[in-house]
Each structure stands twice: as C-alpha cells, then as structure tokens.
C-alpha cells in the first residue's frame, strides 16, 4: 500500500504502534527469539524480559506483577473472567450491561442459549449506569458482575468503584473490561475493588494480539486456555515475548501520557466536537458530556446514514467509524445507542471520532473544513432527507 497522509480518528478501534514500542520489540524477533521455557540460556533468560514487562503493566493498573496474566487479546481476557467465575463458583447467573462490547455480549448470549441466566442492566439516555441497579440484581446464585469501565462507542464511564463496593459487600466476584481506558483514566485495581480486569495492548499504541487479565491475588481461578505451564499455570501457550515486551513499553508510555490525554487531547476533542455541533444543524452528542473519556466523541447527524458520511470522509483520508469496529459490516444499528433510547434511524446516523496522543490540530482542522460540506451534500441526496423538517 502506498504511504498516504491519513487523518486518523478511530483510536478506539486500534492505535498506531509507538516507535519506542516497535524499537523495544525488535531484538525479540531478530536475536532473542528463543522459547522462554527452554532450559538453556538462549531461551530461559527471556523470562527476565517477560517479568520486566509484567512489572510495567502492573504499574499501569496498580497491581502486583504476579496478579497479571498475559493473554492474546481483550476478548480472551473478557471470556476468561466469565468462564472462570462460572466454573469456580458453580453458580449460573451473570450480571452485565446492555452496552458491553461484543466480547462480553456474544459470550453471555451464547451462555444464555446454554441455559445460564443473564441480567443485562439498562443504561440511562446519556449512557450512564445507576450502581443501585447492580445491588438490586444480585442474587444468591450470581457468579459474576461484569461491567465495562468505559464504553468504546460513546466513551461514557461507568461507576466501577461504587459497583466494586456493592460486589464486595455481597461477596460476588466483579470483572471490569477496562480495554478503552489506559492512558485516558487512572486504573487502580485496589481503588476499583475488582477481582478481574481486562486490557488489550493495541488500544495503547502496542500491537494487536496481546492483552492481559488481572486476577486479584487469592481469587479462585480456572484457566480458559489449557495446556502447558506458562503464566504460572493460568494461561497455556508459548509466551509471545516480543509482544509482551512491546506491551510493557506501551504501558510505561501510557502512564506518562495520561496528563496530556486529559488536557491537550481533550482540548482537541472538544474543539472538534464544538466545531461540528455549531456548524452543522441537526446534530447532537451521544453520551454524558462530562462522565466521558477525554478522547471520544459520538455524534448523530440526523437524516443521513453514517456509512455515507464515512465513505466521503474516506475519500479525504479521514478515518472514523460508526460504532464498534467489531460490528462494522453488520447491518444492525448500534446496540449501545439503541440501549440509550436512540431510534434506529438516529443510531444509523451516528459517527464516532476517537483521538490519541498522536492527533494534531491539523487533523482536527481538516475535518472541520470538509465535514459541513459533506453533510450538506448528503442531506440533499439522502432518501431520509424526505423527513428533514426543512423539507416538510
Ligand atoms: N472490550 C472493549 C471495550 C473493546 O473496545 C475491545 C476492542 O475493540 C475489546 C474488548 C476487544 O479487544 P481485542 O480486540 O483485543 O480482542
């Protein structure tokens, strides 16, 4: 593919690998490519590199290094937490929300078909969740409460610390999918009061294909991937050393960039959002304005299909998305926006812009320059335009 200037606003889908991360990984492809389980020096000293990375990701989430298990991705971490809780408790009821990522949604729907009972907690119209609902939903047969820390489509933040207190009081295991939060929110597993927490490296400027599951010390655990004795017998499979090292480096950089994300990136996001909302009629923001990740903006453009907007943006090298990357290509409107009460038509007209520490003012200016014209053009062409109040 030819190299081309890209205006990238899809950082909740995936992020660019940081140059420092790539550099840190290189030796583990080129010279240090042994198997960490080997008895001879060429392999076994690699466990030191894995341990160093474990310490770095543990620092990012304020856990002990031994509480971190490396996995292949955020999805595996989520699936593992749910599977383990059901197996170790022997209970058959799960509590989650109506706006989770498909990693939890599709697994719990599968479990439902297999006879497990799942409560999907509703959200408020601004995407927030009332923690008292969790207390009301807990039953003697509840195996696990699993709630995301921040939503990938809207950026809305859930009250994990409050839910943690409720779960501890009730003696119920608690998992949070924190995949969207590193570098954007502080992650302190002690404060959050969670038993399990999932992360995925490709959301924090490391490669795809590596994640982690935090398992609180002494929490009963049943491995999901069974085989060899890697990861202290909690996740089998030869360790992906270069990716683990890259994840460690990315965690270190991510911790250092939180301040920037909350100031510079947030300012850029706000300028983009305000610019769109003020210049383009019949637009509105989805999700609570304040209880939100600093990098995410989800906007409805009434009377047009997001897919058409994204196609025209693509011609200008702007990458944005409608909803989750994992559901792109499926025809249904976003289940997240649907749960927030948007009509299917409004949900289908919604675009997510997500920024990162690599987003520049020039990126934002490019979108603000072209988007009003794109929307005006589409509104004159769209069949949905019939419903436009100016045409009635
Ligand atoms: N959970 C959330 C909230 C996500 O946004 C994603 C990825 O989009 C995942 C889980 C899945 O992570 P992975 O792509 O590493 O499997």
């Amino acid at each position: 593919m030819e190299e081309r200037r890209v205006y990238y606003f899809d950082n909740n889908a995936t992020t660019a690998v940081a140059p420092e991360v790539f550099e840190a990984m290189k030796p583990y492809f080129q010279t240090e490519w042994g198997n960490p389980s080997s008895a001879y020096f060429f392999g076994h000293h690699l466990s030191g590199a894995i341990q160093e990375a474990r310490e770095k990701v543990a620092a990012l989430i304020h856990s002990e290094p031994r509480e971190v298990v490396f996995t292949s991705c955020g999805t595996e971490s989520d699936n593992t937490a749910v599977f383990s809780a059901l197996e170790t408790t022997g209970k058959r009821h799960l509590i989650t929300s109506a706006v989770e990522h498909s990693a939890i949604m599709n697994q719990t729907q599968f479990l439902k078909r297999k006879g497990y009972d799942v409560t999907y907690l509703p959200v408020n119209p601004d995407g927030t969740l009332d923690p008292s609902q969790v207390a009301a939903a807990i039953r003697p047969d509840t195996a696990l409460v699993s709630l995301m820390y921040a939503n990938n489509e809207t950026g809305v933040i859930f009250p994990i610390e409050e839910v943690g207190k409720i779960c501890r009081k009730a003696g119920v295991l608690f998992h949070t999918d924190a995949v969207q939060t590193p570098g954007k929110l502080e992650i302190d597993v002690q404060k959050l009061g969670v038993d399990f927490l999932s992360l995925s490296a490709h959301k924090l400027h490391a490669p795809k294909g590596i994640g982690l599951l935090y398992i609180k010390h002494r929490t009963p655990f049943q491995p999901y991937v069974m085989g060899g004795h890697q990861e202290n017998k909690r996740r089998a499979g030869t360790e992906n050393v270069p990716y683990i090292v890259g994840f460690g480096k990315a965690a270190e950089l991510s911790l250092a960039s939180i301040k920037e994300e909350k100031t510079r990136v947030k300012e850029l996001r706000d300028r983009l959002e305000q610019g769109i909302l003020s210049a383009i009629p019949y637009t509105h923001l989805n999700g609570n304005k304040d209880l939100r990740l600093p990098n995410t903006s989800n906007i409805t453009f009434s009377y047009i299909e997001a897919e058409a907007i994204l196609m025209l943006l693509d011609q200008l090298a702007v990458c944005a998305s409608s909803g989750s990357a994992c559901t792109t290509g499926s025809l249904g409107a976003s289940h997240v926006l649907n749960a927030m009460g948007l009509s299917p038509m409004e949900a289908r007209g919604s675009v997510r812009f997500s920024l990162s520490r690599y987003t520049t003012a020039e990126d934002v200016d490019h979108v603000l320059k072209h988007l009003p014209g794109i929307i005006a053009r589409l509104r004159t062409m769209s069949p949905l335009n019939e419903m436009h109040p100016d045409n009635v």
Side-chain angles (χ1 to χ4, degrees), residues 12-14 72-76 78 100-104 148 150-153 177-180 198-203 208-211 324-326 352:
N12 288 9
T14 198
S72 68
C73 59
T75 302
E76 184 192 319
D78 284 354
E100 297 298 310
H101 186 269
S102 50
I104 287 290
M148 65 203 319
N151 189 275
N152 46 303
E153 294 191 30
D177 173 341
V179 165
Q180 287 295 341
S198 305
L199 290 189
S200 173
H202 75 99
K203 311 289 183 179
K208 297 148 198 67
I210 184 84
S324 154
C326 304
R352 177 187 70 185

Side-chain angles (χ1 to χ4, degrees), residues 23 45 78 106 135 175 180 208 214 224 246 254 266 350 365 377 381:
E23 283 305 315
H45 79 285
D78 284 354
N106 287 344
H175 164 248
Q180 287 295 341
K208 297 148 198 67
Y214 156 81
Y224 189 55
S254 174
K266 182 175 182 299
S350 302
D365 291 340
R377 210 171 114 202
M381 290 172 0

Side-chain angles (χ1 to χ4, degrees), residues 350-363:
S350 302
V351 175
R352 177 187 70 185
F353 298 90
S354 48
L355 289 67
S356 81
R357 64 174 185 264
Y358 295 122
T359 309
T360 63
E362 198 192 320
D363 293 329

